[in-house]
Amino acid sequence: MQSLIHQAYDPEAFRQFGYELVGLLAEHLKAVQQKQGEPAIPLASPEEEFAFWQEDYRNNQGGSPTELFSAVLARSVRVQHPQYMGHQISPAAPVAALASLVDGLLNNGMGVYEMGAAGTSIERLVVKIVAQKMGFGEAADGVLTSGGTLANLTALLAARSVKAPSPVWQEGHREDLALMVSEEAHYCVDRAVRIMGWGEGGILKVPADDKYRMRVELLEECLNKAQKAGKTVIAVVGSACSTSTGSFDDLEAIADFCEKHGLWFHVDGAHGGALSFSEQHRGLLAGIERADSAVMDFHKMLLTPAVATALIFRNGQHSFRTFSQKAQYLWERETDEEWHNLAKRTFECTKLMMGLKAYSLLRTYGPGLWEQYLEQVMNLGQHFAALIREAERFELAVEPQCNIVCFRYRPDGMQGEALNKFNESIRQALLEEGRFYIVKTSLRGNTYLRVTLSNPFTTEMDIRELLGAIEAIAEAYRE
Ligand SMILES: Cc1ncc(COP(=O)(O)O)c(C=O)c1O
C-alpha cells in the first residue's frame, strides 16, 4: 500500500481529481449562469453551517475530494449567478481561476526574486500596464498586494515616510500626524490611520455633498483648523469611488489642493480604479494620474479571483519608502532598490502569484475583455436606476455614477425609523428566500437597499424580477 505521502502527491490521482473538479466546476458554472434551480445564496445559520462541517469531518474521513468540493459549491454564495448583486466582487473568469490553481500548486513564495522569477516579472508587467492605463508616466512603479485594505495602508505608510517631518520608521512619532478623507471613504482608511498609531484624531473627515462626494471646497478650512489644533496634516485620500454609493470624488480638485500645500495625494480606487481600462468611463478618474499613489483591486471589477490589488506610485522610487528593514536571509542590503525582490516593498513576505491571475486574462483575451465587461456593468447601473425611477414606491438614494446603486421601497406615507426597519425586513426576507443576493447600507441615518451589478450576465429581466420580488415581500408585510 502507498504511504499517505505518496498518495497525497500522486500525479495520476491529481489528474483524476482534477478532471473531476473541472467537470464539476464547468457544470456548476453552466447551471448557475443559466439559473437552473440553484439560488444565488443558499444561506444556513452560522450554527447550522458549522454543525454541517463538524458532521462532515466526523463522517467523511477518507472521502473523495470531489464530494467535498461538491458540498462546498452547494453551500456557497454564487457570485457567478446573474441574480447575485451583493458585495463588490466580480465573478472570476474561468481562465483566471485556473491561474489560481497553478499558483496553488507551484506555491512560489514570491518574497524574493529567486522564489518566483516568473511571478515577479509578470507582476511587474501587470503593474506597468495598470500604471500606463491610469495615465502615469514612465517613472511610475508599484506592487501587487493582498487587497485594497492592505494596499491603502501600504500607500499611507509610504506617504508617512516621505511627508512626515521626522523619520518615523527609525524614531517613532514626534508630530501629531493626520490625513484628510471624505466621510464616505471605506473604513479601511480609518483603520490604516489607527494602525499607524495616529489615533482617532489622525483622521479628519471631510463632509460629503448630496451626491456623497467629498466637499472639496471645505479642504482649506479643514486643513486650517487641524493646523491650528497642532496637527501635521500630510495627506489627502480621494475615493474613486466611495463604497456605499459608488460616488467619485473630484480628483483634479484634490490634486490641486495637495500640490498647493505639498501634501501626499492618495487615491483609493479599489472599486473604480478599474475604469482606467475603459475608454468610455475613465473620465470619472480624471486627475488620478496626478496622485502620488493609487490603489485598484482586480478582484472587484476585473474578473480576477481574490485577492489581487495594484498599488501604483507616480514616482516609483516612493514604493521603496514604505518599509526598510534588515532581513539578511532574504537580501544583501536593505537600501538596495531592487524591483525584483518584492518583499522589500510589500507587507507580505510570502504572497500569492497575483499578477498571473490578471495576466492570464490580459494574455488570453487582451484588455478588450475588461473594456467590454466594464461597459456592460456600467450600463447595468444605468438600467437599474432607470427601472427604479419608473417604478412606483421605489426611490433612488442618489443617481448612480457606476454599477453600485442604492435605493429603497417606500410605502405611502412611511418615513423615519419605520421606513428603515421596513427596508431591513425586506432585505432579510430576500436573503432567506435566496433567489437574489443584495445588501443594505445606511446613508445619513436612512437604510437603503444596495446592489453592485458585477455580473455581465445580469439582464434587465433579472432586475425587473428583483423589483417584483421586493414588491411582493413589501405587500405581504403590509397586510
Ligand atoms: C473604496 C474601497 N476601498 C477599499 C476596499 C477594501 O478592499 P479589499 O476588500 O480588497 O480589502 C473596498 C471594499 O469594498 C472599497 O470599496
Side-chain angles (χ1 to χ4, degrees):
M1 196 182 133
Q2 271 188 321
S3 74
L4 286 177
I5 290 176
H6 281 96
Q7 283 179 43
Y9 287 88
D10 178 12
E12 288 314 314
F14 175 63
R15 192 191 310 278
Q16 186 57 36
F17 293 147
Y19 278 139
E20 285 173 20
L21 175 61
V22 172
L24 192 67
L25 288 173
E27 285 310 312
H28 172 83
L29 195 58
K30 195 156 108 190
V32 167
Q33 270 176 3
Q34 295 175 2
K35 298 180 280 179
Q36 290 166 347
E38 306 285 359
I41 178 162
L43 198 63
S45 74
E47 289 70 28
E48 280 166 351
E49 193 62 24
F50 184 55
F52 174 88
W53 290 106
Q54 282 180 311
E55 191 70 4
D56 181 72
Y57 187 57
R58 251 194 307 276
N59 298 333
N60 294 323
Q61 294 280 314
S64 92
T66 307
E67 274 166 25
L68 164 63
F69 298 144
S70 196
V72 171
L73 289 182
R75 308 182 70 80
S76 298
V77 66
R78 299 181 177 111
V79 176
Q80 304 277 358
H81 198 295
Q83 290 173 342
Y84 171 95
M85 306 177 192
H87 290 289
Q88 299 148 267
I89 188 124
S90 52
V95 166
L98 290 176
S100 289
L101 178 61
V102 173
D103 182 21
L105 193 84
L106 284 178
N107 228 10
N108 282 190
M110 299 278 299
V112 287
Y113 177 74
E114 296 151 20
M115 272 304 294
T120 303
S121 303
I122 289 172
E123 172 162 331
R124 185 169 210 219
L125 184 61
V126 168
V127 160
K128 293 281 179 197
I129 292 169
V130 173
Q132 190 246 329
K133 286 285 182 188
M134 284 182 171
F136 289 110
E138 283 298 305
D141 198 2
V143 289
L144 301 186
T145 190
S146 305
T149 300
L150 194 59
N152 282 318
L153 172 62
T154 309
L156 294 173
L157 285 167
R160 186 180 69 173
S161 173
V162 175
K163 293 290 183 187
S166 335
V168 179
W169 192 258
Q170 290 77 13
E171 297 172 12
H173 287 103
R174 294 224 190 113
E175 297 84 17
D176 196 1
L177 300 177
L179 59 73
M180 300 195 284
V181 65
S182 157
E183 61 177 344
E184 287 297 322
H186 190 260
Y187 73 84
C188 70
V189 177
D190 183 283
R191 184 178 285 188
V193 164
R194 291 165 198 261
I195 290 171
M196 291 190 292
W198 305 356
E200 199 170 0
I203 181 149
L204 308 170
K205 299 225 169 123
V206 184
D209 64 14
D210 56 354
K211 296 196 163 79
Y212 300 93
R213 299 170 306 192
M214 181 196 278
R215 287 183 59 193
V216 286
E217 74 280 8
L218 297 181
L219 279 169
E220 201 78 52
E221 184 188 325
C222 186
L223 179 64
N224 280 338
K225 233 161 98 185
Q227 285 173 336
K228 279 200 188 113
K231 293 193 182 301
T232 305
V233 178
I234 63 162
V236 182
V237 177
S239 301
C241 47
S242 66
T243 305
S244 282
T245 54
S247 305
F248 288 73
D249 287 345
D250 181 345
L251 302 182
E252 293 283 16
I254 303 176
D256 289 343
F257 181 81
C258 286
E259 265 170 34
K260 179 173 164 201
H261 294 280
L263 303 177
W264 183 278
F265 174 28
H266 174 66
V267 175
D268 177 1
H271 185 88
L275 294 174
S276 50
F277 284 88
S278 163
E279 278 306 319
Q280 203 187 336
H281 298 290
R282 65 150 49 100
L284 286 166
L285 298 171
I288 195 171
E289 72 289 351
R290 295 170 64 196
D292 292 288
S293 53
V295 157
M296 183 203 82
D297 277 350
F298 287 94
H299 52 272
K300 284 193 173 49
M301 289 278 272
L302 294 177
L303 310 178
T304 303
V307 284
T309 301
L311 166 56
I312 311 292
F313 293 88
R314 178 160 47 86
N315 172 356
Q317 298 299 311
H318 286 158
S319 66
F320 292 93
R321 296 289 299 272
T322 320
F323 311 105
S324 159
Q325 272 174 314
K326 286 202 173 70
Q328 280 87 346
Y329 51 90
L330 287 180
W331 47 77
E332 309 265 319
R333 283 186 299 275
E334 60 174 304
T335 48
D336 281 355
E337 293 182 352
E338 309 150 327
W339 65 265
H340 52 272
N341 285 326
L342 288 169
K344 283 192 164 183
R345 297 188 286 163
T346 60
F347 217 99
E348 304 96 327
C349 178
T350 302
K351 74 168 189 182
L352 298 175
M353 207 191 254
M354 33 191 98
L356 178 65
K357 302 179 193 185
Y359 186 56
S360 66
L361 296 178
L362 275 173
R363 189 175 184 278
T364 311
Y365 307 104
L369 170 70
W370 288 340
E371 176 110 39
Q372 276 180 26
Y373 166 78
L374 291 166
E375 191 176 330
Q376 187 105 348
V377 293
M378 290 290 278
N379 285 343
L380 277 174
Q382 290 309 313
H383 283 323
F384 198 106
L387 290 173
I388 293 287
R389 261 183 251 112
E390 244 167 53
E392 224 188 312
R393 300 210 176 83
F394 281 92
E395 59 187 27
L396 287 169
V398 60
E399 284 299 322
Q401 284 189 285
C402 64
N403 58 336
I404 298 175
V405 188
C406 297
F407 65 105
R408 64 183 172 184
Y409 184 89
R410 183 174 209 155
D412 295 336
M414 193 183 278
Q415 51 192 342
E417 238 354 81
L419 184 56
N420 287 348
K421 290 231 162 65
F422 195 73
N423 278 277
E424 276 159 28
S425 309
I426 288 176
R427 191 191 91 99
Q428 190 55 34
L430 268 182
L431 196 62
E432 283 161 22
E433 206 180 278
R435 253 186 327 139
F436 296 90
Y437 183 53
I438 69 168
V439 295
K440 64 181 164 105
T441 191
S442 175
L443 298 170
R444 298 183 177 146
N446 296 318
T447 300
Y448 284 92
L449 304 170
R450 175 175 175 272
V451 292
T452 302
L453 301 155
S454 293
N455 190 315
F457 299 111
T458 300
T459 60
E460 189 174 317
M461 192 56 113
D462 292 310
I463 300 172
R464 285 186 189 279
E465 269 181 46
L466 168 68
L467 302 188
I470 291 174
E471 256 166 359
I473 293 169
E475 272 157 33
Y477 269 122
R478 300 223 70 199
E479 274 159 16

